Amino acid sequence: MAAVAAATRWQLLLVLSAAGLGVTLAPQPPNILLLLMDDMGWGDLGVYGEPSRETPNLDQMAAEGMLFPNFYAANPLCSPSRAALLTGRLPIRTGFYTSNGHARNAYTPQEVVGGIPDSEHLLPELLRTAGYASKIVGKWHLGHRPQFHPLKHGFDEWFGSPNCHFGPYDNKARPNIPVYRDWEMVGRYYEEFPINLRTGEANLTQIYVQEALDFIKGQQAARRPFFLYWAVDATHAPVYASRPFLGSSQRGRYGDAVREIDAGIGRVLRLLQDLGVAENTFVFFTSDNGAALISAPKQGLDLTTAAPGHLPGEPSPGVVNLNLRPDSGWSFISTTVSVPQNSSSPTSDGPGREPGGQTCPEGGSNGPFLCGKQTTFEGGMREPAIAWWPGRIPAGQVSHQLGSIMDLFTTSLSVAGLEPPSDRAIDGLDLLPAMLQGRLMDRPIFYYRGNTLMAVTLGQYKAHFWTWTNSWEEFRQVPQPQPSQRLGLQTQEQLAHVPQVEGRPFK
């Protein structure tokens, strides 16, 4: 009720200002901060049951906001999911799929020449019409040619890279991945921005945190609403962390990276509070896909999801218990979030096991869910998600609304008082009714991999049409797309299926 009352007061002030009834300045539209992790799993946060409980800031964020245990990526791979976040549309609509290989995802290697098309309306473009300043910090991954640059698609500022921190390469036949400040290339991974593959040391997360802090301070000083898209990648292989965090986790190098990200998010949220803009800033935390299993770095330790002395599925003290669907094999029920207390000792005798006895590889954790990144099982697309908006979103609540990363597009527009484009299909829902009023809306979740619909969830049920347990003989019987149907933007070859505008490389 407090959140609804606060929202009503804000709307009333707008009306009074417009009518000139003694209000000299209209309230500034709410700021928007989207925190997108890279390959972070559902089970990586203490509030989701990770037993070492090394995410105190994110757990506190959940205690002060709303947890979404049934939140999904739009794809089990980085690029398609990021395209969905910024367009509010399924990747099959925006071209982030392959057409020269059935059910293959798009735009992972740096050799692919496609990217986000000009015909798509990205979130920062639309927010600009309401006066927002927009910045992306971190990984873009929607094309590295000039026509796909973030600043050509609505962002005002960028510090980060067009691709993952792959490498190091020989800088001749295959150069290291560049890092940009706006249009200027300021260095490359492993060169000006070193990553020590032996120790895992890199200062990139600290740089990304400072970029966020400086942007927020600058926009607050200018009294301009901002949209900050903070897309860090420390938890994507090869995992890295700065020296103060290396060796600080009970989960190996992956845990070190998670701890540093958690600490950085804590600094950002405290700055919002110190500047007095927390109640006018909508913040959402999630990940682009599940934790990597096949490609996971051999640098972490994936602990079991049970706390000491507790069996899997049994409530653990101080940890939120989540109402999971029957197909997960786990049954948790709760309506509020409590902040877990720090644990000082390891809580596992060894690597954890997924349901069915599958050993979890080292790296991130997908909690009780099957498989991980690149698959359309729950572990590949079910993500941690937290909404935080003090004074607006009721604190300490759990919403069992089925959510999608595409919803962040529509919800952010709603926060800004804008309507989504009406000239195209928008797949994302406005989640504000669920956040502010506790309403639940019926909606399906579609699990695409490449151009293939693998599964659908509706309510308490999930139907699989294809899984990676299907035989290849059966899989090959699916009709392949004809040349005239090849509409995808990306392929695993160096091809692009939209007209390309030749231009100079990035500065």
Side-chain angles (χ1 to χ4, degrees):
M1 291 300 295
V4 175
T8 303
R9 289 195 299 272
W10 176 64
Q11 293 170 351
L12 179 60
L13 285 173
L14 287 175
V15 172
L16 293 174
S17 176
L21 299 180
V23 179
T24 58
L25 292 176
Q28 183 171 295
N31 306 308
I32 299 167
L33 172 54
L34 301 184
L35 306 167
L36 183 68
M37 304 300 103
D38 202 337
D39 293 5
M40 187 178 283
W42 190 93
D44 275 330
L45 307 186
V47 73
Y48 278 91
E50 203 290 312
S52 60
R53 306 177 194 175
E54 295 176 335
T55 55
N57 294 288
L58 286 165
D59 297 346
Q60 183 67 32
M61 179 182 175
E64 296 173 356
M66 181 174 286
L67 200 69
F68 286 82
N70 304 311
F71 196 85
Y72 292 85
N75 193 274
L77 199 68
C78 303
S79 289
S81 197
R82 291 161 191 264
L85 184 155
L86 291 174
T87 64
R89 286 152 56 80
L90 286 164
I92 195 72
R93 300 190 193 276
T94 60
F96 277 83
Y97 63 92
T98 62
S99 53
N100 66 331
H102 202 70
R104 294 174 70 185
N105 286 310
Y107 197 67
T108 298
Q110 66 200 75
E111 291 85 356
V112 172
V113 297
I116 194 74
D118 287 339
S119 58
E120 293 296 332
H121 294 320
L122 271 62
L123 181 57
E125 296 178 61
L126 300 172
L127 291 175
R128 179 179 287 171
T129 65
Y132 280 75
S134 298
K135 179 168 185 169
I136 171 175
V137 174
K139 188 170 82 172
W140 169 240
H141 219 191
L142 299 183
H144 54 79
R145 291 182 129 195
Q147 63 268 38
F148 307 126
H149 193 288
L151 270 60
K152 296 200 72 172
H153 291 273
F155 284 101
D156 300 302
E157 300 180 28
W158 179 31
F159 184 89
S161 176
N163 209 325
C164 301
H165 51 285
F166 298 134
Y169 301 117
D170 61 12
N171 206 27
K172 295 178 182 177
R174 197 181 198 200
N176 288 320
I177 305 296
V179 176
Y180 289 92
R181 180 175 296 283
D182 301 332
W183 282 100
E184 180 182 2
M185 192 183 90
V186 293
R188 291 183 182 273
Y189 290 139
Y190 302 96
E191 296 174 33
E192 292 81 4
F193 297 91
I195 303 172
N196 189 316
L197 293 182
R198 183 180 63 84
T199 66
E201 182 178 353
N203 290 325
L204 284 163
T205 298
Q206 292 301 313
I207 296 172
Y208 292 153
V209 170
Q210 193 60 50
E211 288 290 324
L213 299 176
D214 291 345
F215 178 73
I216 292 171
K217 292 176 184 176
Q219 301 315 311
Q220 174 62 11
R223 297 189 57 83
R224 186 177 181 186
F226 66 79
F227 166 49
L228 176 57
Y229 175 42
W230 200 65
V232 296
D233 63 356
T235 47
H236 187 292
V239 172
Y240 62 78
S242 64
R243 183 173 298 178
F245 288 88
L246 285 176
S248 67
S249 169
Q250 299 174 30
R251 303 180 62 203
R253 192 179 300 174
Y254 182 89
D256 298 342
V258 172
R259 289 199 68 187
E260 184 167 21
I261 289 172
D262 176 81
I265 291 173
R267 290 180 63 191
V268 171
L269 297 184
R270 284 192 293 274
L271 175 63
L272 296 174
Q273 293 168 330
D274 292 344
L275 293 176
V277 297
E279 293 190 355
N280 201 41
T281 304
F282 169 73
V283 184
F284 201 95
F285 169 94
T286 190
S287 178
D288 60 352
N289 48 249
L293 301 184
I294 295 175
S295 61
K298 303 301 180 184
Q299 303 160 339
L301 178 62
D302 186 20
L303 306 177
T304 67
T305 54
H310 291 76
L311 298 174
E314 182 183 358
S316 300
V319 180
V320 64
N321 298 321
L322 306 175
N323 184 16
L324 309 180
R325 291 202 311 277
D327 65 358
S328 73
W330 292 44
S331 179
F332 291 165
I333 300 176
S334 180
T335 57
T336 60
V337 178
S338 60
V339 183
Q341 301 299 313
N342 289 331
S343 174
S344 59
S345 61
T347 58
S348 173
D349 296 328
R353 290 186 178 271
E354 299 274 3
Q358 179 183 356
T359 300
C360 298
E362 297 171 345
S365 169
N366 295 311
F369 300 119
L370 183 64
C371 288
K373 178 179 179 177
Q374 300 189 46
T375 78
T376 51
F377 293 111
E378 292 295 287
M381 293 182 62
R382 195 156 171 171
E383 311 304 331
I386 304 170
W388 186 84
W389 194 359
R392 306 286 176 83
I393 294 176
Q397 298 299 305
V398 175
S399 173
H400 294 291
Q401 171 68 47
L402 282 178
S404 167
I405 200 169
M406 297 180 293
D407 300 341
L408 299 183
F409 173 88
T410 313
T411 304
S412 296
L413 291 179
S414 181
V415 167
L418 299 174
E419 294 291 331
S422 59
D423 62 341
R424 63 199 60 212
I426 299 295
D427 301 297
L429 296 183
D430 178 5
L431 293 181
L432 283 188
M435 296 175 183
L436 304 182
Q437 302 159 17
R439 288 170 47 190
L440 297 180
M441 298 166 280
D442 289 332
R443 65 93 58 83
I445 296 293
F446 296 105
Y447 302 71
Y448 273 94
R449 192 177 193 278
N451 59 349
T452 300
L453 180 62
M454 306 289 284
V456 175
T457 283
L458 186 61
Q460 295 289 309
Y461 301 96
K462 180 177 181 180
H464 287 274
F465 307 117
W466 288 100
T467 72
W468 294 112
T469 58
N470 292 106
S471 69
W472 283 111
E473 290 73 18
E474 183 182 7
F475 197 71
R476 290 193 185 98
Q477 295 176 10
V478 177
Q480 296 296 310
Q482 299 301 312
S484 61
Q485 298 174 314
R486 292 191 172 191
L487 303 177
L489 293 177
Q490 287 77 37
T491 70
Q492 299 300 324
E493 303 170 17
Q494 295 187 43
L495 303 175
H497 296 288
V498 293
Q500 300 295 316
V501 178
E502 293 299 328
R504 57 178 174 80
F506 293 163
K507 292 180 180 178

